[in-house]
Amino acid sequence: HDEPQNNTKVINLKQDVENMLSEVNEIDCLNRSSSKESIADSFELISFANKMSEDLNDNSLDESKSEINFDEETIQDPVEDKIQKNDIVKKINSLQCIFTWKLKSNERNIISQILNEYGDYNLDISSPEFSLKRFIGNLIIGYELFHNGEIENGQIKILEIGKWLEELDNGSDKFYLSINTGLYHIMKGTFIHMLYASNLLEECKWLLDDIIPFNKMNCIPKASIFAIHAAVLTEYGANAQYYKKACYFANKACVLDPSSPHWFYIYAVALTKQRTFLHSYKSHPTENEINSIQHAIILSDGKDTVFNYHRILLDKDSIIRNFHDNINIKNKNMYDINLKANQKIVEMIKTVISMEPKDPLVIVGCAKILMTLPIKVRDFDLGKMYLTKAMQMAPNDVAVLNSIEKAITHYKRVSNKTYEHKKTASKQFQPSFKNKKSKIAEKLRFLVNNHKNGKDPLPDLIAMLNESNGRDKVIIMAQICSYTILFANNLRAGVEQFMVLLEEPKINNDHLIIDHFSSFGSKKFNLADLICNEIRLATNSCETPSEEMLFYFKALTKIMETFRLEMKDVDPSMKSKLIVNSSDRLTCLSAAFKSGLNLSDNNSEVDRCKNITNKSNNPKSFQNVDSKIFKAKSRVNKKNNMNTSIGKIFNFQTSIVDRTYHAKINQMKSKISKFLNSSETVEFSNYVSLGIKND
């Protein structure tokens, strides 16, 4: 009635949904691993997306409203008129229509429910295409309008249905033409009740003469009336008795006309509604449900997307129930079975969408399932694409917009539940910060004592590395790197280790490198600075093998680029200045540990440290690193690598604007170019490295 206001609401809703679609991103649920525990959590949480929004019971019925009263005792007319009215009343009471199906309105707004559940596509009776859903939805709306006091609007809605049926009579839809007698019976019967309530008896008589009585119909129109009766009862729901009757009438339709897939679909929906009402969304689909929908699919040659979508819903319910039934059974195959079942659902959804459903709500439903399946099979991007497609199909349909909004909200809720669940579970098995500190420090303290007694700590450090995860692994790696350079005097191995460290995210700002301490005795220093200094010393030395020069040049370029280091004079005594005597090594151990955990005296650093335990235990760089790389062995590049293209070796960031820096880098590139183009017998004694002459 307030069309401008409604248009404004639709525009605002459309804008909100567009914003949600553009802003929603995939949520990292912390359970990307393939462990059985992660899979179990995924299956446990998928049921959040299926929970019914409201529970109805027998007490929700509103008994204050009643149907039109045809009690003969209320007729106060002359005898002849009374006899005539009695005859009309008997005929009206014999009709099969929404008024004689003894429906009782409840506290829910049925019209709003139908509008939100059906959407514009399924309520469009200006369409030349027939569908039972269009007939049923508009029939209920007309009935409810009349019941709610909007008598004229209710009558108009029923007349619109009649006009639509007349237009369909001229078409070639075989299914419609086989049941139109039953449809007219319901439509005209409903309109007659409305006319009688307005005391328009002549109009009632005229329409009654035009209706084919139910007992004179053949099986197919009768089946259509039973099926529509069942569908209406299913929509009203509200109590177990309604669902029981719905299943009864739907089954009668299937028996009368076993060749129509539509009756089996309506029967399957009624059975599903009854099951979820009496039990829960976690209950197992019954054999009748599965058989009914499968029969509908077979009779329709698998071409009806609505039937196929309902089968997907049943399969999803089966997966959830099977998971909960077997959750305490130690069956190593259970998770694989569940995953395969979910993968099958994904394929079924893709098949349905490939059939190009005309109903955008089917597409939204498929997207919602796809986005809330277990993480291992979930496809967020594809689900989001389906939601976008549905919105493009019905950009002004409030039902579709609301459904998209709910699908996104469901996705966020399920993903956040998964995130919180995994986060809580992770904390249960995660040692406290204090315990972690004590454990690592204790091991390093033991190795420091061994080092003081002349034992090489590298084998033990490598063993610790193989047993560590996450930040611990990075800390130990840095210690191996600095020890290899400072104490083992193996520059090549130390540089190789450091190049692996560079793959760690945000390593260029990590205190582990910038404010590094060696547990085995050193002052605080920048590990990247030390390595660059030692590389430049090596490239200036005539003792460095020619086959190692290219490796060092490439490593130096990468390190300076990553840490944005400036050129400094080479310090031949830098290592000796950093190493401290043995009496200070326990102090260095404490400092090294603080450096590794990004600790400092200011509060901001302490706060950052608190978040370390929440990092993933699967660091990008070290999860699959071969421990052999940390052994103090030098390796050389093959000679044929000497001819590698310079363009492939150097990949400098164009954002570097410092002219001096560019000049230094270009100088390095020039020298490497000369090196690559030189013969293998070049003497390096007179070679000038990075602008610093050998003495």
Side-chain angles (χ1 to χ4, degrees):
H1 300 293
D2 301 321
E3 192 168 339
Q5 185 178 359
N6 289 336
N7 289 338
T8 302
K9 289 181 179 179
V10 172
I11 292 171
N12 292 337
L13 177 60
K14 181 181 177 182
Q15 187 62 50
D16 290 342
V17 174
E18 285 177 345
N19 292 338
M20 288 183 76
L21 274 174
S22 62
E23 293 172 4
V24 64
N25 293 310
E26 187 167 13
I27 298 171
D28 184 1
C29 297
L30 297 180
N31 59 349
R32 295 281 178 186
S33 70
S34 58
S35 67
K36 291 182 179 179
E37 291 78 9
S38 297
I39 298 170
D41 291 335
S42 296
F43 285 118
E44 173 65 31
L45 289 159
I46 57 176
S47 57
F48 283 107
N50 309 303
K51 189 172 183 180
M52 297 175 69
S53 59
E54 59 178 332
D55 295 322
L56 301 173
N57 52 54
D58 293 346
N59 297 326
S60 65
L61 293 176
D62 181 2
E63 302 288 352
S64 62
K65 294 182 180 180
S66 62
E67 296 299 309
I68 299 170
N69 192 348
F70 294 108
D71 190 349
E72 296 179 24
E73 295 180 2
T74 63
I75 302 175
Q76 304 295 328
D77 295 322
V79 176
E80 290 183 2
D81 292 341
K82 189 173 182 179
I83 293 173
Q84 184 182 26
K85 284 189 176 182
N86 285 342
D87 184 54
I88 292 174
V89 167
K90 288 179 181 178
K91 288 182 179 179
I92 290 176
N93 280 333
S94 68
L95 296 174
Q96 288 288 331
C97 73
I98 196 167
F99 278 94
T100 60
W101 291 339
K102 298 180 180 179
L103 299 170
K104 295 181 180 180
S105 299
N106 51 53
E107 295 174 357
R108 290 175 301 158
N109 186 334
I110 300 295
I111 294 178
S112 178
Q113 173 189 316
I114 294 297
L115 292 174
N116 285 324
E117 183 182 332
Y118 282 49
D120 291 348
Y121 173 79
N122 290 309
L123 292 173
D124 181 13
I125 50 176
S126 65
S127 170
E129 184 179 355
F130 172 75
S131 80
L132 282 169
K133 211 162 190 177
R134 287 187 174 124
F135 180 84
I136 294 165
N138 283 282
L139 180 71
I140 292 173
I141 289 174
Y143 171 75
E144 283 294 317
L145 286 171
F146 185 86
H147 236 321
N148 293 337
E150 298 184 46
I151 295 174
E152 185 177 348
N153 289 330
Q155 291 175 343
I156 290 173
K157 177 59 69 176
I158 301 303
L159 288 174
E160 287 175 350
I161 296 173
K163 181 182 177 182
W164 179 54
L165 296 181
E166 289 176 354
E167 292 172 353
L168 291 170
D169 287 341
N170 299 321
S172 58
D173 188 327
K174 292 182 180 179
F175 172 64
Y176 165 75
L177 294 175
S178 69
I179 64 170
N180 61 353
T181 303
L183 300 178
Y184 273 116
H185 183 100
I186 294 171
M187 184 275 297
K188 291 178 180 179
T190 301
F191 193 63
I192 286 172
H193 279 75
M194 293 178 174
L195 293 176
Y196 187 89
S198 302
N199 206 29
L200 298 172
L201 296 183
E202 289 301 318
E203 288 79 358
C204 289
K205 285 176 60 180
W206 175 74
L207 282 174
L208 281 169
D209 293 338
D210 194 47
I211 291 179
I212 297 176
F214 179 77
N215 57 7
K216 292 185 179 180
M217 293 180 190
N218 62 35
C219 292
I220 296 178
K222 278 185 178 179
S224 69
I225 291 176
F226 283 133
I228 292 169
H229 189 175
V232 170
L233 286 168
T234 301
E235 292 298 344
Y236 275 82
N239 63 27
Q241 196 63 28
Y242 276 18
Y243 289 125
K244 183 178 179 180
K245 287 183 178 180
C247 294
Y248 169 76
F249 287 118
N251 183 53
K252 287 193 73 171
C254 294
V255 172
L256 278 174
D257 179 22
S259 64
S260 174
H262 300 280
W263 317 148
F264 288 94
Y265 168 71
I266 290 173
Y267 186 31
V269 172
L271 288 167
T272 300
K273 292 277 190 179
Q274 182 186 46
R275 169 177 58 85
T276 55
F277 179 83
L278 294 176
H279 304 290
S280 78
Y281 59 92
K282 289 183 180 180
S283 56
H284 204 297
T286 64
E287 187 177 351
N288 274 347
E289 282 179 75
I290 297 172
N291 289 342
S292 296
I293 194 61
Q294 193 59 32
H295 202 59
I297 292 171
I298 292 171
L299 289 173
S300 62
D301 295 326
K303 296 178 180 179
D304 194 302
T305 56
V306 176
F307 300 169
N308 293 329
Y309 175 64
H310 190 74
R311 178 57 196 259
I312 291 172
L313 293 177
L314 294 187
D315 285 355
K316 182 167 63 68
D317 286 352
S318 295
I319 292 171
I320 295 172
R321 184 65 264 160
N322 286 334
F323 171 76
H324 287 286
D325 286 345
N326 297 296
I327 194 168
N328 295 320
I329 299 175
K330 293 183 178 180
N331 184 349
K332 63 180 181 179
N333 296 323
M334 183 187 70
Y335 303 102
D336 291 337
I337 292 171
N338 274 284
L339 279 177
K340 288 179 181 178
N342 276 282
Q343 288 167 350
K344 181 182 176 183
I345 284 183
V346 173
E347 293 306 314
M348 290 171 70
I349 287 174
K350 291 179 179 178
T351 300
V352 168
I353 299 299
S354 70
M355 296 166 67
E356 298 185 354
K358 295 180 180 179
D359 185 355
L361 290 174
V362 169
I363 298 176
V364 175
C366 288
K368 179 181 173 182
I369 294 172
L370 201 59
M371 294 169 72
T372 53
L373 285 172
I375 299 297
K376 295 292 290 182
V377 294
R378 182 182 302 175
D379 195 330
F380 169 82
D381 292 330
L382 190 59
K384 186 176 178 180
M385 186 178 76
Y386 290 166
L387 292 180
T388 304
K389 179 178 181 179
M391 187 171 181
Q392 291 170 348
M393 290 173 64
N396 299 312
D397 188 341
V398 175
V400 174
L401 297 176
N402 281 332
S403 295
I404 293 172
E405 192 174 36
K406 289 178 181 178
I408 295 172
T409 302
H410 265 303
Y411 165 72
K412 290 181 177 179
R413 184 161 66 96
V414 172
S415 297
N416 288 331
K417 287 277 187 182
T418 307
Y419 179 88
E420 292 299 327
H421 187 74
K422 292 298 296 180
K423 192 174 178 182
T424 302
S426 176
K427 285 183 177 180
Q428 291 175 354
F429 297 100
Q430 200 169 44
S432 66
F433 176 78
K434 185 175 181 180
N435 290 338
K436 285 183 69 177
K437 175 178 177 180
S438 301
K439 188 175 181 180
I440 300 172
E442 183 180 348
K443 288 184 177 180
L444 288 175
R445 191 185 304 274
F446 175 76
L447 295 183
V448 168
N449 288 330
N450 286 346
H451 177 63
K452 287 168 60 179
N453 295 326
K455 184 178 179 180
D456 183 5
L458 274 177
D460 293 322
L461 283 171
I462 293 170
M464 284 178 63
L465 183 73
N466 293 333
E467 296 171 359
S468 302
N469 290 301
R471 185 68 176 177
D472 292 354
K473 198 158 193 170
V474 180
I475 293 171
I476 297 168
M477 175 61 181
Q479 287 298 315
I480 294 174
C481 182
S482 60
Y483 179 88
T484 303
I485 294 173
L486 287 174
F487 301 100
N489 294 317
N490 192 328
L491 178 62
R492 173 64 186 248
V495 174
E496 287 177 342
Q497 296 153 12
F498 193 75
M499 296 306 290
V500 178
L501 262 176
L502 291 187
E503 299 299 319
E504 183 69 14
K506 299 182 180 179
I507 195 69
N508 59 326
N509 293 318
D510 199 326
H511 285 265
L512 183 67
I513 305 300
I514 299 171
D515 299 317
H516 184 77
F517 288 90
S518 171
S519 300
F520 302 93
S522 78
K523 300 175 183 177
K524 182 173 76 172
F525 66 97
N526 187 321
L527 185 55
D529 269 339
L530 171 66
I531 292 175
C532 287
N533 185 78
E534 297 308 304
I535 288 176
R536 291 169 64 192
L537 282 172
T539 56
N540 284 343
S541 172
C542 61
E543 296 179 359
T544 302
S546 60
E547 58 267 21
E548 291 194 8
M549 293 294 287
L550 178 60
F551 167 76
Y552 284 137
F553 277 128
K554 290 170 65 176
L556 181 62
T557 303
K558 178 68 174 177
I559 295 168
M560 294 189 70
E561 180 182 303
T562 301
F563 290 90
R564 302 295 300 275
L565 299 177
E566 296 182 359
M567 289 294 182
K568 300 177 183 177
D569 291 341
V570 177
D571 184 357
S573 60
M574 187 174 185
K575 282 202 308 182
S576 60
K577 291 176 182 177
L578 294 177
I579 297 173
V580 299
N581 59 46
S582 60
S583 62
D584 295 328
R585 285 180 182 174
L586 291 181
T587 303
C588 292
L589 174 61
S590 176
F593 186 81
K594 286 185 178 181
S595 171
L597 292 182
N598 293 345
L599 289 176
S600 69
D601 294 333
N602 62 69
N603 292 332
S604 63
E605 291 296 329
V606 173
D607 291 339
R608 271 201 292 169
C609 173
K610 291 178 181 178
N611 294 325
I612 289 173
T613 56
N614 291 332
K615 291 186 178 181
S616 170
N617 285 333
N618 299 307
K620 176 182 177 182
S621 306
F622 304 118
Q623 194 64 26
N624 299 311
V625 173
D626 192 336
S627 61
K628 291 180 181 179
I629 194 173
F630 306 119
K631 294 181 179 179
K633 292 183 179 180
S634 297
R635 292 180 295 179
V636 297
N637 293 333
K638 294 182 179 180
K639 293 181 180 180
N640 57 8
N641 286 339
M642 304 290 284
N643 296 320
T644 305
S645 167
I646 295 177
K648 292 182 180 179
I649 295 173
F650 297 101
N651 183 21
F652 295 102
Q653 299 292 330
T654 57
S655 60
I656 300 174
V657 295
D658 185 82
R659 291 184 179 180
T660 304
Y661 184 78
H662 269 300
K664 299 288 186 181
I665 294 296
N666 289 334
Q667 190 177 13
M668 289 169 59
K669 290 170 69 176
S670 175
K671 292 185 181 297
I672 296 174
S673 178
K674 290 179 181 179
F675 173 77
L676 291 174
N677 294 325
S678 64
S679 66
E680 296 179 23
T681 58
V682 170
E683 293 290 337
F684 289 95
S685 57
N686 297 321
Y687 196 83
V688 180
S689 176
L690 306 180
I692 307 298
K693 292 184 178 181
N694 283 329
D695 295 328

